[in-house]
Amino acid sequence: MKKGTYQLHDEPNFNFQLNRTIMWGGGDLEEIRAIAPRINTTEDWVREMTNLAERAKENHQISKAIGYYRMAEFFEADGSPDKSKLYAKSQSLFYTYYQDLFNTTIRRDEVEFENGKLPVWIGLPDTEIKDTVIIHGGNDSYMEEFLPVVQHLLSEGIAVYLFDGPGQGAALRESEIYYTYEWERPVKAILDQYNLNDVTLIGLSLGGMLAPRAAAFEKRIKRVVAWGIMPDFYEVVLSKVPKELRILMDLGEKEQVNTLIQKKMEADPLVKWALQHGMFSMNVKTPYDYLNKTRKFEMESIGHYITQDFLLLGSNGDHFIPVELYKRVIDALPNVRSLTYKMYTKSDAAENHCNFGNTELVLNDIIHWMLQAKNKSATALN
């Protein structure tokens, strides 16, 4: 796994996504550094990433091409033919390139859910299973991005069930299964399908709210990791907008909210992308409807139902999530069996959202914590 955080772009989200391309997308630092000055809009991003992908493919650098196609698709408009083409190229290259791995180490499967299927990877270590993990991403993730994470967990004797849930990856793009805040439903489908008990559930980014929500209603989950501080998605989204918008939302002024956001979308391409993606993944038609729907994506109202061991991971340089929200998560967990909280900083090279600069460090901390919690629980039962 790569380590490091880099200042590549003045716009915080572009800078983060460029780092993400390097850390989790197989991107080359110097290639990314070279294109960064040419990126000012999402259209610029798609063009530059597509060019990198095509060049990498021509040079038979397939692992890089996979990541570049994926990140080109990331900022392409949802629902466009080009987005579907970029997604298909990334997926096809990925499963061809890693064919041997999926024939020997990781099994691809599907679980029926609503009107479609949730894709699942199953990885079982060759050694004694120390723990079983179910893992999922957040607002804009897809499961193929997590391959290094799965491989690391397997190398440590951890059985892994990774899935794209509603609103994510292939579940959204291929089965049109849209986001639900009732995350216990897809998690229950995974637990039932594979007859799993006594598992650790890990959710990243928005998954830092979704995983605790599932744990509140599904007691086969014994340990839960919120890899990201997310007590309330609505509050996180509104932390980036003018106070006027919050007031209008509280008053239910749908037309005024849509007008205000439309102007902001026209002026800021990243706001436009975020709102368009949100409306697509939650299957709503207007910005107001999207914001209103995010109100349900919170864990504070059900936090008292969470009785498992709980690990909360934050990053003090997170450009998405106000760092002070960690206290709201902690305050919402009066009945957990145990609570561990860790904030990563620049000195860890893990200050970015989801600690992308030092994934190995964070994974090792998670593994140490969950095995310790599992052993303590077993000792108490004896």
Side-chain angles (χ1 to χ4, degrees):
M1 290 185 179
K2 296 178 182 178
K3 177 181 176 181
T5 57
Y6 306 98
Q7 181 56 45
L8 300 167
H9 203 285
D10 290 337
E11 203 293 317
N13 195 24
F14 278 145
N15 189 64
F16 170 74
Q17 302 300 348
L18 290 168
N19 275 272
R20 179 181 185 172
T21 306
I22 296 166
M23 292 298 116
W24 282 32
D28 178 83
L29 173 59
E30 294 311 313
E31 289 179 346
I32 296 298
R33 199 189 299 277
I35 68 166
R38 299 197 288 270
I39 296 174
N40 295 299
T41 67
T42 54
E43 289 79 10
D44 294 338
W45 175 285
V46 174
R47 181 192 65 244
E48 295 298 328
M49 282 292 169
T50 301
N51 288 342
L52 284 183
E54 297 289 355
R55 191 182 315 139
K57 185 180 177 184
E58 289 174 5
N59 293 332
H60 306 289
Q61 298 171 320
I62 304 303
S63 62
K64 289 200 297 185
I66 292 165
Y68 291 149
Y69 276 128
R70 153 61 183 161
M71 294 310 293
E73 184 260 2
F74 186 86
F75 277 124
E76 183 58 79
D78 285 292
S80 75
D82 286 342
K83 190 177 185 74
S84 298
K85 291 176 183 177
L86 290 166
Y87 176 76
K89 286 182 179 180
S90 180
Q91 292 293 93
S92 177
L93 281 178
F94 180 90
Y95 286 106
T96 300
Y97 185 73
Y98 292 108
Q99 183 177 2
D100 289 345
L101 180 68
F102 285 92
N103 285 336
T104 58
T105 306
I106 301 172
R107 178 165 67 92
R108 295 171 67 187
D109 202 6
E110 294 176 324
V111 172
E112 292 186 5
F113 186 82
E114 293 184 350
N115 60 317
K117 296 178 180 179
L118 305 178
V120 182
W121 289 357
I122 304 166
L124 302 178
D126 295 330
T127 58
E128 177 187 357
I129 295 177
K130 298 177 183 177
D131 195 6
T132 298
V133 161
I134 299 176
I135 187 168
H136 60 81
N139 185 44
D140 53 36
S141 66
Y142 76 143
M143 65 194 306
E144 290 77 14
E145 188 176 28
F146 288 82
L147 179 59
V149 173
V150 172
Q151 290 176 304
H152 188 81
L153 289 168
L154 285 173
S155 73
E156 295 294 328
I158 310 297
V160 183
Y161 293 78
L162 168 70
F163 75 100
D164 274 338
Q168 300 173 339
L172 173 65
R173 292 165 175 83
E174 296 178 17
S175 287
E176 296 184 350
I177 304 175
Y178 299 103
Y179 255 118
T180 176
Y181 69 95
E182 296 174 315
W183 206 249
E184 64 275 14
R185 293 173 55 234
V187 171
K188 181 180 185 300
I190 303 296
L191 292 165
D192 289 348
Q193 178 77 16
Y194 304 109
N195 193 27
L196 299 177
N197 292 283
D198 190 8
V199 304
T200 298
L201 179 64
I202 303 174
L204 287 85
S205 190
L206 179 57
M209 170 260 135
L210 297 170
R213 161 81 197 201
F217 299 103
E218 181 49 76
K219 298 309 176 182
R220 286 174 287 182
I221 301 165
K222 303 300 182 185
R223 294 158 298 281
V224 58
V225 180
W227 194 341
I229 297 167
M230 187 68 69
D232 187 317
F233 191 33
Y234 180 71
E235 290 296 326
V236 169
V237 172
L238 287 192
S239 69
K240 308 298 182 184
V241 302
K243 287 185 178 180
E244 177 189 1
L245 183 59
R246 180 187 291 270
I247 294 170
L248 291 173
M249 284 296 300
D250 289 342
L251 293 173
E253 296 289 350
K254 183 173 182 176
E255 186 174 337
Q256 292 186 55
V257 167
N258 287 333
T259 299
L260 184 64
I261 293 180
Q262 189 61 45
K263 290 180 180 178
K264 183 67 174 174
M265 290 169 68
E266 291 170 1
D268 189 331
L270 289 175
V271 171
K272 180 180 179 181
W273 171 83
L275 268 294
Q276 286 180 336
H277 176 73
M279 288 187 287
F280 176 69
S281 65
M282 293 193 185
N283 195 29
V284 295
K285 300 300 183 184
T286 72
Y288 176 89
D289 292 329
Y290 165 67
L291 290 175
N292 206 38
K293 199 162 187 176
T294 65
R295 291 179 189 267
K296 295 183 176 180
F297 286 73
E298 56 84 27
M299 49 77 62
E300 290 173 287
S301 67
I302 50 83
H304 57 286
Y305 294 125
I306 301 173
T307 57
Q308 295 91 336
D309 294 296
F310 197 105
L311 175 61
L312 175 64
L313 302 174
S315 44
N316 73 342
D318 195 319
H319 70 293
F320 284 127
I321 305 173
V323 67
E324 61 270 15
L325 290 180
Y326 78 89
K327 187 176 185 301
R328 285 178 52 174
V329 178
I330 292 172
D331 288 346
L333 300 169
N335 299 319
V336 290
R337 177 183 172 88
S338 69
L339 175 61
T340 303
Y341 167 57
K342 183 162 186 177
M343 177 69 72
Y344 293 90
T345 68
K346 193 170 185 177
S347 64
D348 303 307
E351 76 277 15
N352 284 338
H353 182 65
C354 289
N355 318 111
F356 273 141
N358 201 345
T359 303
E360 186 171 1
L361 169 67
V362 181
L363 274 177
N364 287 337
D365 287 345
I366 290 172
I367 292 167
H368 175 77
W369 170 84
M370 68 187 191
L371 295 183
Q372 188 177 56
K374 185 179 177 72
N375 290 336
K376 281 185 178 179
S377 179
T379 300
L381 290 174
N382 293 332

